[in-house]
Amino acid sequence: MSSKKPVAIVFDTFGSVVDWRGGLIAEMKELGGKRGVNGDWAAVADAWRHGYHRMLDEVTAGTRDYGLLDDLHRELLDEAMRDVGVTGFSEDELRDINLGWHRLKAWPDAVAGLTRLKTKYIVGSLSNGNVRLLVDMAKGANLPWDVVFGSDMFSRFKPHPDTYLGSARLLNLEPGEVMLASAHNGDLANARKYGLMTGFFLRPTEFGPNQTIDLAAEADWDVIADDIEDMATKLDT
């Protein structure tokens, strides 16, 4: 672990701080039960997230314009439902399912770990979510952010450098004074490329019981931890 300490720690959010897959599956299952709509909700959630990554790649490549993640999610939900073969929800119900991203809950260690880190460091989100989504999520999941950085503040998605460097700029800090904390090795590799410090922690079930990626740190990140509480311990809080 590096002896250098950051001034601010900004966290990847989906999967790293909140359980997107478990939350979406639970909400769709509950609504489907009430409406008599049957479906493979895990498959819908996985297809929804797969489409998200594809769309981000299209924006990064310049073949698609930037748009609010809420709007991209809504488009992708129709695609995921169609691909899995789920029908029967009304437009109002689909809009509410889409807002499930705003209602995601934190992993069990997240709130306690962030609260500890907050006593010594500036803590915030650095997410591809839009600001309103992240604010709603923080209120619902009791995430104790000092600041929320959403992609609509930069009109860019990670891994564009404007996102990583923009968080440092808005905090009036040098990139090397900011640490990106994430459960995703690829996210950290991009942050390091632009001069940020890096902190990795594990989320071995983010993608379900058969997860095959991000099961270990793949580089000598500045901090490597089991979860956010362990990260707080390693950073002396």
Side-chain angles (χ1 to χ4, degrees):
M1 179 175 139
S2 171
S3 60
K4 180 184 175 184
K5 298 294 192 295
V7 176
I9 308 173
V10 292
F11 283 77
D12 174 67
T13 306
F14 296 122
S16 296
V17 177
V18 298
D19 177 11
W20 63 267
R21 189 176 188 271
L24 295 175
I25 290 170
E27 285 212 3
M28 289 188 288
K29 182 178 180 180
E30 181 179 3
L31 181 59
K34 291 177 180 176
R35 292 281 289 109
V37 176
N38 296 313
D40 184 341
W41 305 121
V44 174
D46 291 339
W48 204 355
R49 188 65 168 170
H50 178 75
Y52 158 84
H53 287 296
R54 188 193 72 240
M55 275 197 177
L56 294 197
D57 289 344
E58 292 171 0
V59 174
T60 300
T63 59
R64 183 186 180 95
D65 291 337
Y66 171 83
L68 289 182
L69 189 59
D70 272 339
D71 296 335
L72 300 187
H73 273 159
R74 180 65 190 86
E75 180 180 340
L76 288 165
L77 176 59
D78 285 342
E79 182 181 297
M81 291 284 188
R82 182 178 64 250
D83 289 349
V84 178
V86 176
T87 60
F89 288 125
S90 69
E91 176 59 31
D92 284 346
E93 287 164 341
L94 290 168
R95 280 198 293 267
D96 186 61
I97 291 170
N98 194 52
L99 289 174
W101 293 93
H102 293 231
R103 298 187 290 263
L104 296 176
K105 300 306 180 186
W107 293 104
D109 59 279
V111 173
L114 291 172
T115 300
R116 288 171 58 192
L117 288 165
K118 183 183 171 80
T119 64
K120 190 171 182 178
Y121 305 97
I122 297 168
V123 295
S125 65
L126 180 57
S127 172
N128 284 332
N130 43 285
V131 170
R132 178 57 190 271
L133 185 164
L134 296 167
V135 169
D136 287 347
M137 181 196 297
K139 290 179 74 66
N142 296 314
L143 302 175
W145 301 132
D146 293 307
V147 64
V148 168
F149 293 121
S151 63
D152 46 333
M153 298 175 72
F154 314 110
S155 296
R156 296 284 191 274
F157 291 121
K158 292 186 292 180
H160 196 283
D162 285 358
T163 58
Y164 301 105
L165 297 175
S167 65
R169 175 177 56 81
L170 290 171
L171 289 171
N172 197 26
L173 295 171
E174 294 298 320
E177 296 178 297
V178 178
M179 175 184 286
L180 177 72
S182 176
H184 306 134
N185 285 281
D187 198 9
L188 296 175
N190 285 303
R192 174 173 281 183
K193 185 190 308 182
Y194 302 118
L196 276 67
M197 295 182 67
T198 52
F200 176 82
F201 52 92
L202 288 166
R203 292 292 181 225
T205 60
E206 175 191 352
F207 297 100
N210 300 313
Q211 181 166 323
T212 59
I213 61 172
D214 292 320
L215 295 175
E218 296 173 5
D220 59 338
W221 309 123
D222 296 293
V223 179
I224 297 173
D226 294 332
D227 56 26
I228 300 178
E229 285 212 79
D230 186 40
M231 178 170 283
T233 298
K234 287 182 162 62
L235 287 169
D236 302 322
T237 60

